[in-house]
Amino acid sequence: MLALLGTHLAGMGVFLAVPVLAPAIAAEVGIPAALAGVHTALVYGGALVSGPLAGAFIRRYDGIRVLQAGLVFCGAAVAVAALGHPVALALSALLGGLGHGPVTPAGSHLLAQKAPPRRRALIFSLKQCGVPAGAMLIAAATPAIAAAWGWRAGVLAVAVFLAASALVLQPLRGALDAERDRTARIGSLGAAWAAALGSLRILRDVPVLRRMTVMSALYGISQFCFSSFFVVFQVEALGVPLTEAGLRLAFAQAAGVAGRVLWGLVADRVGATPVLAGLGLGAAASGAALLLAGPDWPGFALTLAGMGMGATAIGWNGVFLAETARLAPHGQVGAATAAAGFVFGACMLVGPPAFTAMVQASGGYGLGFAFCALSALAGAALIRGGGGVAKR
């Protein structure tokens, strides 16, 4: 679990290194900082290509090796962004997504066979703490590195961190990859895509998984729009220095770490439905607060609004993944996770760019944060309206 936590911590560099540094990059390259949403979409576009291959790679190489390969590939992809050309930035995002696509299915594969049923939500939440923990580290460290040595140094520091994390996993491979099938065939990308589309049948056959998957996509829009734009919003709309804006995002991500642990504990006691619905309502309220934020807001209030968004819009994933693993048909945890991830990723191709379009069209960030709040509210209504997730 600790190894997987570290993997997710490092993997967030693919998603946030460029968006957090977007104001500095935009000032040099001459592109709008609000294009951070397009970066997020490109990362998910790459993940949608490689994600369907995760099952075949896991069968052939098992989980640890798949995670290692993904981290090394992600590190190389992030380094491409240091070239500083708009094409290099887009290519970096796309390649980073290719490396990151198999990470969550591989992690769920390793944990599903080890986690005790009564502690599943907590364990999955602890593993997923690596996501906001990694975002917290990037948000705090990269602006400081950029202030001292330039934004390229911040990007390259993330790339080195990704590669080093792959090496740290090596001692675990012998024990955790013992069941790999060296004779398994990877197959073609076309066949993998066909299998991935076939795995969507799980969502057709298990309605509660379908509702939860749509909920996760709606919550994901709030999560990644907030994470991608909170720093840019503060710098461009409120006049906050980059290092201060990054620190506030770090506080928000820290709230996400605490939230993932707390909500996992609560979900193991009271069930996933009330926890997931409550988090959606909390994210909607926090998004509404950011909608109202202006230059006259005290820094403390802005920090609290960001932390509220972190605890809710970032805090739901572990409970969702644990419940997906519980509700999946026997032997199909990886397929159910992959199907949910496919839908989630497809929605991320639309959500963050839509936020970018709203900023470009309106000249401000209010409409985008309203979009975040409404997405979270719709997800909460969906999971409550489905009558709960206690039964298939």
Side-chain angles (χ1 to χ4, degrees), residues 139-167:
T142 54
I145 295 172
W149 296 290
W151 67 264
R152 286 181 175 81
V155 166
L156 292 175
V158 172
V160 171
F161 181 51
L162 283 159
S165 298
L167 293 176

Side-chain angles (χ1 to χ4, degrees), residues 240-254:
V240 176
L242 178 60
T243 52
E244 183 180 338
L247 191 58
R248 287 204 181 105
L249 178 59
F251 279 123
Q253 299 292 347

Side-chain angles (χ1 to χ4, degrees), residues 22-392:
I25 297 172
E28 178 182 318
V29 179
I31 59 175
L35 287 177
V38 176
H39 176 276
T40 301
L42 287 172
V43 173
Y44 270 103
L48 282 175
V49 173
S50 64
L53 289 169
F57 281 127
I58 291 168
R59 284 191 298 273
R60 176 67 181 269
Y61 301 106
D62 224 319
I64 292 295
R65 184 61 88 210
V66 170
L67 292 175
Q68 288 179 302
L71 288 169
V72 170
F73 199 93
C74 287
V78 170
V80 171
L83 295 174
H85 192 278
V87 174
L89 293 170
L91 185 62
S92 170
L94 191 61
L95 292 176
L98 285 172
H100 198 275
V103 168
T104 296
S108 292
H109 164 80
L110 289 167
L111 270 192
Q113 52 191 331
K114 303 291 184 182
R118 290 196 305 169
R119 292 289 180 265
R120 183 176 282 121
L122 174 61
I123 289 173
F124 271 78
S125 292
L126 286 171
K127 186 262 288 186
Q128 288 301 115
C129 280
V131 174
M136 178 177 64
L137 178 63
I138 291 162
T142 54
I145 295 172
W149 296 290
W151 67 264
R152 286 181 175 81
V155 166
L156 292 175
V158 172
V160 171
F161 181 51
L162 283 159
S165 298
L167 293 176
V168 171
L169 293 175
Q170 183 58 32
L172 301 175
R173 191 177 184 234
L176 296 182
D177 283 359
E179 297 180 3
R180 61 187 181 276
D181 181 1
R182 294 179 175 86
T183 65
R185 298 186 59 172
I186 300 300
S188 66
L189 181 59
W193 262 79
L197 293 175
S199 72
L200 295 176
R201 287 195 296 268
I202 295 175
L203 304 183
R204 180 196 65 193
D205 297 338
V206 186
V208 67
L209 284 178
R210 182 169 64 247
R211 288 195 301 273
M212 286 187 63
T213 297
V214 176
M215 177 215 74
S216 75
L218 291 167
Y219 284 5
I221 288 173
S222 293
Q223 175 185 355
F224 277 94
C225 285
F226 168 73
S227 295
S228 298
F229 288 96
F230 189 47
V231 170
V232 177
F233 159 66
Q234 292 178 76
V235 173
E236 289 201 331
L238 307 184
V240 176
L242 178 60
T243 52
E244 183 180 338
L247 191 58
R248 287 204 181 105
L249 178 59
F251 279 123
Q253 299 292 347
V257 174
R260 290 191 180 196
V261 177
L262 176 61
W263 308 140
L265 286 168
V266 174
D268 279 332
R269 288 181 173 271
V270 305
T273 298
V275 173
L276 290 170
L279 291 178
L281 295 175
S286 299
L290 291 174
L291 161 65
L292 299 173
D296 57 337
W297 268 43
F300 182 69
L302 186 60
T303 301
L304 284 181
M307 291 179 69
M309 200 71 170
T312 54
I314 296 171
W316 59 274
N317 306 67
V319 176
F320 164 74
L321 287 173
E323 193 68 0
T324 297
R326 185 182 75 84
L327 294 170
H330 180 70
Q332 298 188 62
V333 173
T337 304
F342 187 88
V343 174
F344 185 98
C347 289
M348 293 309 103
L349 294 179
V350 178
F355 195 115
T356 293
M358 292 174 190
V359 173
Q360 296 294 96
S362 66
Y365 288 80
L367 193 60
F369 284 120
F371 177 50
C372 289
L374 290 174
S375 296
L377 196 61
L382 178 66
I383 203 64
R384 287 301 300 174
V389 296
K391 299 179 181 179
R392 289 185 209 168

